[in-house]
Amino acid sequence: TRAGMLALEVAVGPVTEPCDSGGTVRISGDLANPPNLTVGDTLTLRFSNCDDGDGNVINGRLDIVIRDIVGDPLTDIYRLALDAKFTDVTVADATDSYEVSGDATVTEDTLALPIVLLVLSGERLEFGSQDEVLTLFDFSQSLEVDTGIIPDRKVADAFGTLASKLLGGRVDYETALSIEASGDADPDTGEVPITGAENSMVTIVILDGTAVRLDVDSDGDGIIDDMQFTTWAALSGEAGVNVQ
């Protein structure tokens, strides 16, 4: 989004801009009606050790095509949808480095401000690190944030297929009940069935901001074989869920 705003200011470029805390991003594009963005416009962003101060350093190339635009992205009220292609993109933080490849559509919608809607969807998007490669297929993940209250209230929904060696293959997931959270706290509401091989299933049931129940159907007959009670701290730490 920041790079898109810069592109509006400099029209088609190319221009190299410093990132907030080091590195640069080089922006070029083909705009039909500069400096305005219109459907079909293209932008290319080349990141070189770009650090915006959020703890991540980005390198690589991102190609963008404007899919949809309503309102003015230079204001607070707009909807902007971008088709994005990631090429040799790496994102490094203090402890790890991740490679991103594939395509996705990114939508930011503030037309109903103070409600902000973010959607990430696509056919294939891969995230890799030294330890693991996660690949999303035929996915859509949305996050709705009510910024009009303090702390803000977040509502998330998602569906798709996730492939991972840690999971022993592929699993399908789809929220049966929206995941909700306030501020930076862990989610306090939600239900996510995760289906593996031969219809085996684990359903993550969020009981409150601390407790989580795992309903396990190990043989895929639709009957819960086991209930396990855990916490968000355990799930986000070394503990994990393996559906086979």
Side-chain angles (χ1 to χ4, degrees), residues 132 134 162-171 196-197 241-244:
E132 174 65 323
L134 302 175
L162 174 64
S164 163
K165 288 183 179 179
L166 289 179
L167 295 173
R170 295 188 178 195
V171 296
V241 178
N242 191 351
V243 181
Q244 301 194 10

Side-chain angles (χ1 to χ4, degrees), residues 57-77:
V57 176
I58 304 175
N59 284 280
R61 172 172 171 165
L62 176 61
D63 292 287
I64 292 172
V65 179
I66 306 301
R67 172 185 284 259
D68 180 42
I69 185 167
V70 177
D72 185 354
L74 292 178
T75 69
D76 292 331
I77 310 296

Side-chain angles (χ1 to χ4, degrees), residues 61-109:
R61 172 172 171 165
L62 176 61
D63 292 287
I64 292 172
V65 179
I66 306 301
R67 172 185 284 259
D68 180 42
I69 185 167
V70 177
D72 185 354
L74 292 178
T75 69
D76 292 331
I77 310 296
Y78 63 93
R79 181 175 69 241
L80 181 62
L82 313 171
D83 289 333
K85 179 179 180 180
F86 300 86
T87 303
D88 297 327
V89 173
T90 62
V91 181
D93 58 24
T95 60
D96 208 344
S97 178
Y98 303 87
E99 298 180 0
V100 185
S101 63
D103 305 86
T105 297
V106 183
T107 302
E108 183 174 13
D109 188 340

Side-chain angles (χ1 to χ4, degrees), residues 24-210:
T24 60
V25 55
R26 186 172 186 268
I27 307 164
S28 59
D30 185 2
L31 277 62
N33 184 30
N36 301 304
L37 288 177
T38 56
V39 173
D41 287 350
T42 62
L43 297 170
T44 297
L45 316 177
R46 292 179 172 87
F47 300 94
S48 179
N49 295 317
C50 180
D51 183 353
D52 274 335
D54 59 0
N56 297 310
V57 176
I58 304 175
N59 284 280
R61 172 172 171 165
L62 176 61
D63 292 287
I64 292 172
V65 179
I66 306 301
R67 172 185 284 259
D68 180 42
I69 185 167
V70 177
D72 185 354
L74 292 178
T75 69
D76 292 331
I77 310 296
Y78 63 93
R79 181 175 69 241
L80 181 62
L82 313 171
D83 289 333
K85 179 179 180 180
F86 300 86
T87 303
D88 297 327
V89 173
T90 62
V91 181
D93 58 24
T95 60
D96 208 344
S97 178
Y98 303 87
E99 298 180 0
V100 185
S101 63
D103 305 86
T105 297
V106 183
T107 302
E108 183 174 13
D109 188 340
T110 68
L111 295 177
L113 203 69
I115 304 298
V116 177
L117 177 64
L118 304 171
V119 181
L120 178 70
S121 60
E123 295 182 356
R124 180 187 174 278
L125 190 61
E126 184 173 281
F127 303 87
S129 70
Q130 293 180 344
D131 300 324
E132 174 65 323
V133 176
L134 302 175
T135 307
L136 293 170
F137 297 96
D138 300 322
F139 64 93
S140 177
Q141 303 181 176
S142 67
L143 177 65
E144 183 179 278
V145 183
D146 186 349
T147 63
I149 58 176
I150 300 175
D152 58 23
R153 187 68 177 171
K154 301 178 178 70
V155 180
D157 287 282
F159 68 83
T161 297
L162 174 64
S164 163
K165 288 183 179 179
L166 289 179
L167 295 173
R170 295 188 178 195
V171 296
D172 297 321
Y173 61 91
E174 182 171 3
T175 46
L177 179 66
S178 297
I179 300 170
E180 300 188 28
S182 293
D184 294 328
D186 287 325
D188 52 51
T189 301
E191 187 173 321
V192 186
I194 302 172
T195 306
E198 299 179 353
N199 290 321
S200 59
M201 180 179 291
V202 170
T203 299
I204 301 174
V205 181
I206 302 170
L207 301 176
D208 54 39
T210 300

